[in-house]
Amino acid sequence: MKLSRAHMLERARARDPRYDGRFLTGVTSTGIYCLPSCPARSPKPENVVHFATPAEARNAGLRACRRCRPDDFYKGYDPDEEDAATVAREVVSAPARFADARALAARTGVGLTKLHGLFRAHFHDTPASFLARAKVAHACQRLQDGARVLDAALDAGFDSASTFYANFTPRVGMTPDAYRKLGASASFTLRLPAGYRTEEAFAFHGRDPEGIGERVVGRELVKAIRIDEVPVVLRVQFGRRGASNGLVRCSLEGARLDRRARYAAHALAVRLLNLEADPGDFEARSRRSPLRGLIRRRTGLRVPRTADAFEALVWTVVGQQVNVPFAVTLRRRVLARCGTEVSGLRAPPTPAQLAAVAVSDLRALQFSARKAEYLCELGAACVRGDLDLAPDLATPAPRLYRRIVAQRGFGPWSASYALMRGFGFLDCAPVDDVGLQTALHRLFALPERPDASATAALLAPFAPWRSLATYHLWASLDDGEAESVDAPPAAQPTRARRARARPSLPVVSPSATRTARTKESNP
């Protein structure tokens, strides 16, 4: 769509990263050209000329800005992202080399403040937390290989048994000793963290009472999954409401699985429960924030996750531009047409199964032509290897985001939603989402619903946990008349605040034809 000069000037003044790549701002008074999101001082309109490509700007005699580096952006190169990915790969491959965040900073040659900025922007985590996750993952692999518990702890870089247990048990849901013995049985027990909320997990996985892929029956989640392409049923049975022990019994039904597959089943259960995403730091930081009332209502809230990234992408497409009841109906039809039967349920389709379906077959199931094409192309892209959805811990969130939005049918909102649900990133801020804006409008009793810039400014203090802040705000739409607070200055952001409040990922909302709750409830 052709952008008007007025619109480009306005988006550049707002430093909107969603327009990076759509146009360049040339400044005749300084002789430079910039991305729309450039943090430099906004030029006078009479000094601005717009260009479609860097080549056009250079032909006009301008040079690239050294702050926003537009040439690097158009080449797909981000030096900060490369630095973050490089050190992350080193941490994942040899976590014992790094004792703490200071050791990471020394390795990268930057200060702690810069290092925190890199990890928050690219991994939605702090350096210390990322390092702990890598050490626990390394220890898990050593325990699977049969190492003794103390040897696994030392190999991973933990300096004491107490530190090892304190980091391992909450993330894995069991002690290292129990994890080491895990592969000997088709069932296992997880211990939930204190204050873990089951309500949201039940609501997310039980949206379809007639579901054929997953069901919530009483206090049990029953879900058809795939382990090494083999369909099985995972049962996750929670204790009675209010039970103090917080134990969850997990069991498998279906094909006989070897020891390695049982460890994979454990990892999948931990993923569904999102045990790694401890909301403690976010809640502690938010005790004096405007969200404190919402957080008190749902202390311990975690963003529910899908079984894998491909499932998240499929269900995101299925739910685009339709209401929730029809979305879950379409989900059922996809499972019935493309899924695999196992113990009375249907496991989600693999990329190959989805790629093999004809568009006309999906059209017969009441899919729109475009949505049917998107689903078939999504499966084909994964089969060809064009869309890699099996990243390791060291893959930066912006890199995954770019992979997803490059796929036909995925806009910024859909990609950000998938990063939140399918990959578990904690700092996705869908600043153009109508549901999110409505919740902020109500919480702060604003005279009008905030736009994307105001929404970004309101959410900026919650980085790197804006996914959690967003989910609390979405959940508040079910609260009836929620407690309101006085609007902070960030509700009407100044130019400087807007520059500092750039969201971690450029995201937009779905079509305005859907209600706020429908958008939040995208399958």
Side-chain angles (χ1 to χ4, degrees), residues 140-160:
C140 283
Q141 186 58 59
R142 294 287 288 118
L143 291 170
Q144 289 182 35
D145 295 338
R148 295 185 306 168
V149 170
L150 183 57
D151 290 339
L154 295 175
D155 288 347
F158 289 102
D159 56 6
S160 69

Side-chain angles (χ1 to χ4, degrees), residues 124-469:
H124 300 187
D125 207 351
T126 63
S129 175
F130 184 92
L131 181 57
R133 288 168 58 200
K135 289 184 176 183
V136 168
H138 186 89
C140 283
Q141 186 58 59
R142 294 287 288 118
L143 291 170
Q144 289 182 35
D145 295 338
R148 295 185 306 168
V149 170
L150 183 57
D151 290 339
L154 295 175
D155 288 347
F158 289 102
D159 56 6
S160 69
S162 59
T163 302
F164 178 43
Y165 275 76
N167 281 277
F168 188 97
T169 304
R171 289 180 168 86
V172 181
M174 57 179 61
T175 65
D177 313 76
Y179 184 81
R180 187 174 183 272
K181 302 171 184 175
L182 179 66
S185 173
S187 64
F188 52 90
T189 299
L190 300 176
R191 182 177 295 277
L192 297 178
Y196 185 93
R197 293 181 60 88
T198 59
E199 292 84 347
E200 285 72 28
F202 288 148
F204 178 66
H205 294 289
R207 286 166 295 174
D208 184 4
E210 305 173 26
I212 61 175
E214 59 187 355
R215 297 172 187 157
V216 172
V217 182
R219 300 281 294 169
E220 184 179 50
L221 166 62
V222 186
K223 183 173 178 62
I225 59 173
R226 292 180 185 275
I227 297 177
D228 292 339
E229 303 300 323
V230 178
V232 295
V233 169
L234 175 67
R235 291 184 175 272
V236 183
Q237 187 172 17
F238 295 79
R240 67 183 186 279
R241 186 184 297 274
S244 59
N245 57 12
L247 297 181
V248 175
R249 181 174 176 78
C250 304
S251 60
L252 297 173
E253 296 177 4
R256 295 176 63 87
L257 299 173
D258 60 17
R259 185 173 182 271
R260 184 173 60 85
R262 293 184 186 121
Y263 278 110
H266 165 273
L268 198 148
V270 167
R271 174 193 174 92
L272 288 173
L273 297 173
N274 208 0
L275 294 187
E276 281 200 335
D278 181 5
D281 288 342
F282 164 72
E283 292 173 357
R285 282 272 301 272
S286 303
R287 282 174 187 153
R288 297 186 179 182
S289 79
L291 290 185
R292 59 189 179 276
L294 303 184
I295 294 170
R296 277 197 301 268
R297 295 187 185 99
R298 295 179 178 83
T299 300
L301 178 69
R302 297 167 188 243
V303 179
R305 293 184 63 184
T306 56
D308 58 42
F310 185 67
E311 181 185 23
L313 293 179
V314 170
W315 298 149
T316 297
V317 174
V318 169
Q320 289 172 350
Q321 311 302 326
V322 296
N323 59 34
V324 174
F326 189 52
V328 297
T329 298
L330 291 178
R331 288 182 65 183
R332 253 183 272 131
R333 293 173 181 174
V334 169
L335 287 169
R337 175 62 182 81
C338 310
T340 305
E341 195 279 334
V342 54
S343 297
L345 294 177
R346 305 284 293 185
T350 64
Q353 286 175 321
L354 197 57
V357 177
V359 170
S360 58
D361 290 341
L362 294 178
R363 293 282 287 135
L365 301 178
Q366 289 189 281
F367 280 84
S368 68
R370 287 288 179 267
K371 187 174 295 188
E373 292 169 2
Y374 297 159
L375 285 174
C376 294
E377 291 175 11
L378 172 64
C382 292
V383 170
R384 293 192 305 268
D386 296 342
L387 183 57
D388 179 11
L389 296 180
D392 61 19
L393 189 61
T395 304
R399 187 170 298 174
L400 288 172
Y401 174 87
R402 292 195 299 272
R403 289 180 192 171
I404 297 171
V405 295
Q407 180 65 31
R408 184 168 175 247
F410 287 88
W413 192 93
S414 296
S416 297
Y417 184 88
L419 285 179
M420 183 189 302
R421 294 287 202 194
F423 295 91
F425 283 104
L426 292 178
D427 203 28
C428 300
V431 295
D432 268 348
D433 182 78
V434 173
L436 177 58
Q437 293 174 353
T438 299
L440 289 168
H441 182 205
R442 189 167 75 177
L443 177 67
F444 291 115
L446 300 173
E448 59 185 9
R449 195 170 65 197
D451 62 9
S453 296
T455 298
L458 288 165
L459 290 176
F462 301 103
W465 302 287
R466 281 173 282 193
S467 295
L468 281 167

